[in-house]
Amino acid sequence: MDQSAPPPYRRITDELRRRIDIGELAPGDRVPSTRRITQEWGVAMATATKALTALRQEGLVTVVPGVGTVVAEERRAARVEPVRERRPREGDTGLSRDAVVRAGLKIADAEGLRALSMRRVAAEFGVSSMALYRHVANKDELVLLMADAAFDGVDLPDPAPDGWRDRMEAGARLQWALYQRHPWLAQYLSITRPQPTPRGMALIEWTMARVAGMTPLTLIHMAITLLNYVRATAAGFEDDREAEQESGMDRNQWMASMEPVFDGILRSGAYPMYAGIDGTEGDEVTLETLFEFGLARLLDGMETLVEGRAPSPGGPA
């Protein structure tokens, strides 16, 4: 064994220090975890732990609760820029919880939720990612706050519709418009693991406020059915945006490129329903037409239940 070779943990420490020095790992970025180090360098967990401990002792990294080990801002700045003017304090940058949420909304609305990261939001203020953790615990909390803030932008009509069907339709249209303003939101929301968004819950309460004669269990089934219909249809907004970003083609261009393929399928004669609309204009079937058609049919079914014209077999009484 070469006695002059540095111990394994030191080689790992040197490499991570190099990545920090050249900016590959920026202030606030997470450094490889002990598990990742064991996989990347093929060392024992004890060696990986010793390497990260050495970096902490040098002041290069720090541990952020709930996040992990990240590059320390103060030490990083001292190594790369030993002489510079004082970085503005938080108050000088306008950094606050509300400001962080607004910045996150701006990014997600323009580029999609996949483009959102703590580092990306921090760049909006010219600070490191670590500065954000004083205001939000992590990205998950940030997105939850963004979702609730998005619902705060809903303007309820005044006066509100009196009839239960008109009120439910108005609530559905308010949600539809909301998802158009924030395309990422429909895909983020879940009905199986609902997120605690008080403002979103307030909109649903308002939507269902005129439905009478239903048990609470039936009422919540009605509310979630309507919510999920609007949300699932509106998820296409973000799907289409992501597809355009990846392909470089908008919906019309993509459909035109697929036309020869669809023509070959339809000529087989096995798909008469699809063949029946062949040649119609592209705007005959869109997210808007699907929303309008489905909403009317859904409310027709709700009316059958509410007005008591027919029983609801298998459903909550």
Side-chain angles (χ1 to χ4, degrees), residues 150-151 153-157 161 167-181 203 206-207 230 291 295:
F151 277 99
V154 175
D155 292 325
L156 298 177
R167 178 72 74 94
M168 285 186 69
E169 180 178 348
R173 294 189 183 281
L174 288 171
Q175 292 177 55
W176 183 252
L178 174 67
Y179 297 140
Q180 289 178 297
R181 294 194 299 273
L203 174 58
W206 181 90
T207 300
V230 181
F291 169 71
L295 178 60

Side-chain angles (χ1 to χ4, degrees), residues 1-315:
M1 181 177 178
D2 185 357
Q3 298 297 324
S4 63
Y9 89 89
R10 181 55 64 185
R11 294 199 302 271
I12 298 169
T13 301
D14 291 344
E15 170 58 19
L16 293 177
R17 187 189 301 108
R18 183 191 69 82
R19 296 180 188 179
I20 293 171
D21 285 343
I22 66 174
E24 184 177 329
L25 289 172
D29 284 352
R30 289 187 60 179
V31 301
S33 64
T34 52
R35 184 176 298 278
R36 177 67 179 275
I37 290 173
T38 61
Q39 295 171 347
E40 185 175 345
W41 275 276
V43 297
M45 185 66 72
T47 301
T49 301
K50 191 172 183 179
L52 291 183
T53 299
L55 289 173
R56 284 199 298 271
Q57 290 173 343
E58 293 181 32
L60 286 173
V61 301
T62 187
V63 177
V64 177
V67 177
T69 303
V70 301
V71 177
E73 180 179 4
E74 301 300 329
R75 178 61 174 170
R76 163 76 173 133
R79 290 180 60 84
V80 179
E81 303 174 77
V83 178
R84 67 174 188 175
E85 295 182 2
R86 177 185 66 84
R87 174 184 287 275
R89 294 181 180 273
E90 269 188 51
D92 299 333
T93 65
L95 201 60
S96 67
R97 188 183 182 91
D98 288 343
V100 170
V101 172
R102 288 195 301 270
L105 277 170
K106 176 183 175 182
I107 294 168
D109 290 348
E111 304 173 37
L113 201 57
R114 291 196 299 183
L116 184 75
S117 67
M118 298 297 278
R119 184 176 180 181
R120 178 74 173 78
V121 175
E124 294 289 311
F125 299 95
V127 300
S128 75
S129 305
M130 284 189 64
L132 302 186
Y133 295 126
R134 302 187 184 98
H135 304 280
V136 292
N138 48 45
K139 180 181 173 181
D140 288 342
E141 184 186 37
L142 172 59
V143 179
L144 179 61
L145 293 170
M146 288 163 48
D148 197 49
F151 277 99
D152 193 39
V154 175
D155 292 325
L156 298 177
D158 185 17
D162 286 330
W164 71 265
R165 177 166 177 152
D166 290 341
R167 178 72 74 94
M168 285 186 69
E169 180 178 348
R173 294 189 183 281
L174 288 171
Q175 292 177 55
W176 183 252
L178 174 67
Y179 297 140
Q180 289 178 297
R181 294 194 299 273
H182 308 285
W184 57 273
L185 183 58
Q187 290 189 354
Y188 170 71
L189 295 176
S190 172
I191 63 167
T192 57
R193 301 186 180 189
Q195 298 91 339
T197 53
R199 292 172 176 131
M201 294 167 68
L203 174 58
I204 304 307
E205 286 280 356
W206 181 90
T207 300
M208 306 303 297
R210 290 292 181 266
V211 182
M214 299 289 108
T215 67
L217 189 58
T218 299
L219 202 60
I220 198 68
H221 274 81
M222 292 174 64
I224 294 176
T225 297
L226 181 66
L227 166 66
N228 195 47
Y229 167 71
V230 181
R231 182 192 66 85
T233 307
F237 291 129
E238 186 74 345
D239 287 340
D240 194 51
R241 177 166 66 177
E242 290 179 353
E244 184 170 344
Q245 290 173 344
E246 293 175 359
S247 68
M249 295 185 290
D250 63 23
R251 178 179 179 274
N252 292 332
Q253 292 170 326
W254 185 87
M255 289 296 292
S257 71
M258 291 291 106
E259 188 172 347
V261 180
F262 282 117
D263 283 345
I265 295 173
L266 296 179
R267 280 197 298 268
S268 70
Y271 306 94
M273 180 184 69
Y274 291 98
I277 63 169
D278 188 32
T280 58
E281 295 296 327
D283 59 358
E284 294 288 341
V285 181
T286 65
L287 287 177
E288 290 287 346
T289 65
L290 292 171
F291 169 71
E292 294 293 343
F293 179 88
L295 178 60
R297 304 294 82 74
L298 184 61
L299 292 174
D300 288 343
M302 296 288 186
E303 186 171 348
T304 299
L305 176 63
V306 174
E307 302 299 334
R309 292 201 296 266
S312 179

